Amino acid sequence: MAYTYQVMPLDETLHHINNPDQESLTPTQIAYDFITPNHSALKERKSLDNESHTRYHLIVDHQAVIERIPLHIKTWTADSNADRQHTIRIKLMDSEKSEETKLNGATLIADLMKRYGIDIHHVFSTQNDSSCFIDLIQKEYQQLINSNPNHLVDLTQFHTFSVGENALLYESIPGFLSSKATVSSTKVEAGTYIIDEVILEARHPIKLLKDGATKGIWVDADKLYKPACGFFPSDPVYVTYPTVAYETAMSSDIISTLPSGYYIVSRIANGSKHPVYLLSDDLTSGVWVGTENLILKVKPPLYQVGEEVTLVKKTPSYKTSNALKQGKLLKAGTYYVYQYKEGEPHPLNLTQTLGQEGLWVNTTTLNHE
């Protein structure tokens, strides 16, 4: 699956869940709705703290599945049909990442179908959605059955952390200079980090380190998550040693050997033989690999600040990296890199005085070894 599963329960004493006696629910159906706010599942989960009637068990976006009500608990519904009250209800965030969200939703529903023995005829949309999403669910379900017929997907993430593992923050949290500090010294932004140190008994037990940083920061563990395989979609990774690659996450047939280098994690299939799907500019399509030769590492920029480069001839300059109007010509010679903006029309800011801002140029007349 390409998502991280998080359990973030509501306070059931403050919400109408139509189940005051905590009656156990054995699901017989799965219902889903697409909604269109342009924000994450986590933000949607937080906004629902003020919701008077609680309808959905699960919220899905392009990165995460958030369980807000245990799946065995009935949710609120205006439908008096008894069968409909034995339904797992799922909200899918239909934003600019809708294709990834749909894939995660289909994978999740396929997992739930297998877990609870629910067939495709008991999966439905309350909005009369098109059959295309049902077809995607059926495809994911068939792949799940064919790839590992005896495997029962374990949705729960166990939040135990070890030094060297990767962990993810979905929101910014307070950071502390020491594990015993009582006052926060900074804000730790959302993102992927490396576990640098763990002191289980401490007030702030986890020390996080960003790739490339030399100094870590201590945080609480309650907002920190990790997938079973140790990586998340969109993570930048480095393959440390040539690694065999596969067409599917459960395949036994090697299709190629992936060379050492930088890649991006595109999908995750926790519990499979080769759980990480990698992409790069050099690959015509992605491949599935194991995690034994993967480390979390950001690809360094093509040009480093302070690096010496050579213009081999007179080169037009610009005041900004995306300016249309050409400025003066820079003479051929040696310059220092002041800044590099990958993807811009004129991505390189060159100067003859180290540390002083210069002018922007393109890289076609540059000698860069």
Side-chain angles (χ1 to χ4, degrees), residues 233-338:
S234 300
D235 273 352
V237 295
Y238 184 75
V239 175
T240 59
Y241 188 79
T243 298
V244 292
Y246 301 85
E247 186 174 1
T248 70
M250 294 300 296
S251 175
S252 298
D253 298 325
I254 298 172
I255 60 170
S256 65
T257 299
L258 203 63
S260 299
Y262 293 92
Y263 299 85
I264 295 294
V265 175
S266 175
R267 295 183 63 187
I268 295 296
N270 288 326
S272 64
K273 292 180 180 178
H274 328 293
V276 180
Y277 189 75
L278 296 181
L279 293 174
S280 79
D281 293 338
D282 298 327
L283 293 175
T284 55
S285 61
V287 293
W288 291 94
V289 299
T291 61
E292 58 274 8
N293 295 323
L294 296 186
I295 60 172
L296 185 69
K297 192 172 184 180
V298 177
K299 184 179 181 179
L302 183 60
Y303 298 92
Q304 303 286 339
V305 173
E307 177 184 1
E308 284 191 7
V309 295
T310 302
L311 290 179
V312 297
K313 64 180 182 179
K314 287 183 179 180
T315 301
S317 69
Y318 301 84
K319 286 188 176 181
T320 66
S321 61
N322 57 5
L324 297 176
K325 186 178 179 180
Q326 181 179 312
K328 69 177 184 178
L329 292 174
L330 295 184
K331 296 179 180 179
T334 301
Y335 292 80
Y336 297 102
V337 175
Y338 177 78

Side-chain angles (χ1 to χ4, degrees), residues 80-338:
S80 60
N81 185 316
D83 267 352
R84 288 286 172 103
Q85 294 187 34
H86 286 67
T87 303
I88 295 176
R89 300 181 182 276
I90 301 170
K91 178 182 287 190
L92 296 108
M93 311 301 290
D94 192 14
S95 65
E96 72 277 2
K97 298 283 189 179
S98 60
E99 291 306 312
E100 293 96 327
T101 300
K102 287 177 182 177
L103 181 57
N104 287 346
T107 306
L108 170 68
I109 292 171
D111 292 340
L112 293 171
M113 288 168 60
K114 186 175 189 302
R115 173 175 289 268
Y116 293 108
I118 299 172
D119 66 51
I120 195 67
H121 301 294
H122 290 87
V123 177
F124 61 93
S125 169
T126 61
Q127 303 167 323
N128 295 318
D129 195 66
S130 71
S131 61
C132 294
F133 187 59
I134 290 291
D135 292 342
L136 182 58
I137 295 169
Q138 182 66 31
K139 178 181 176 182
E140 290 294 314
Y141 178 74
Q142 201 59 51
Q143 287 180 347
L144 177 64
I145 296 299
N146 292 343
S147 63
N148 196 349
N150 298 315
H151 176 59
L152 181 63
V153 176
D154 184 6
L155 299 175
T156 307
Q157 295 294 318
F158 297 96
H159 299 155
T160 57
F161 298 98
S162 301
V163 173
E165 288 182 334
N166 301 332
L168 184 72
L169 281 175
Y170 277 98
E171 57 185 303
S172 59
I173 63 172
F176 302 85
L177 290 177
S178 75
S179 62
K180 299 178 181 179
T182 56
V183 179
S184 170
S185 61
T186 187
K187 182 169 70 172
V188 183
E189 299 295 338
T192 304
Y193 295 83
I194 298 170
I195 304 295
D196 188 49
E197 192 173 345
V198 178
I199 304 177
L200 294 178
E201 301 81 10
R203 177 180 281 118
H204 317 295
I206 306 294
K207 189 178 183 182
L208 297 180
L209 193 66
K210 197 71 174 174
D211 177 51
T214 57
K215 191 175 182 180
I217 193 76
W218 292 90
V219 299
D220 298 336
D222 57 339
K223 300 294 185 181
L224 208 55
Y225 301 95
K226 67 173 184 178
C229 73
F231 296 94
F232 298 87
S234 300
D235 273 352
V237 295
Y238 184 75
V239 175
T240 59
Y241 188 79
T243 298
V244 292
Y246 301 85
E247 186 174 1
T248 70
M250 294 300 296
S251 175
S252 298
D253 298 325
I254 298 172
I255 60 170
S256 65
T257 299
L258 203 63
S260 299
Y262 293 92
Y263 299 85
I264 295 294
V265 175
S266 175
R267 295 183 63 187
I268 295 296
N270 288 326
S272 64
K273 292 180 180 178
H274 328 293
V276 180
Y277 189 75
L278 296 181
L279 293 174
S280 79
D281 293 338
D282 298 327
L283 293 175
T284 55
S285 61
V287 293
W288 291 94
V289 299
T291 61
E292 58 274 8
N293 295 323
L294 296 186
I295 60 172
L296 185 69
K297 192 172 184 180
V298 177
K299 184 179 181 179
L302 183 60
Y303 298 92
Q304 303 286 339
V305 173
E307 177 184 1
E308 284 191 7
V309 295
T310 302
L311 290 179
V312 297
K313 64 180 182 179
K314 287 183 179 180
T315 301
S317 69
Y318 301 84
K319 286 188 176 181
T320 66
S321 61
N322 57 5
L324 297 176
K325 186 178 179 180
Q326 181 179 312
K328 69 177 184 178
L329 292 174
L330 295 184
K331 296 179 180 179
T334 301
Y335 292 80
Y336 297 102
V337 175
Y338 177 78

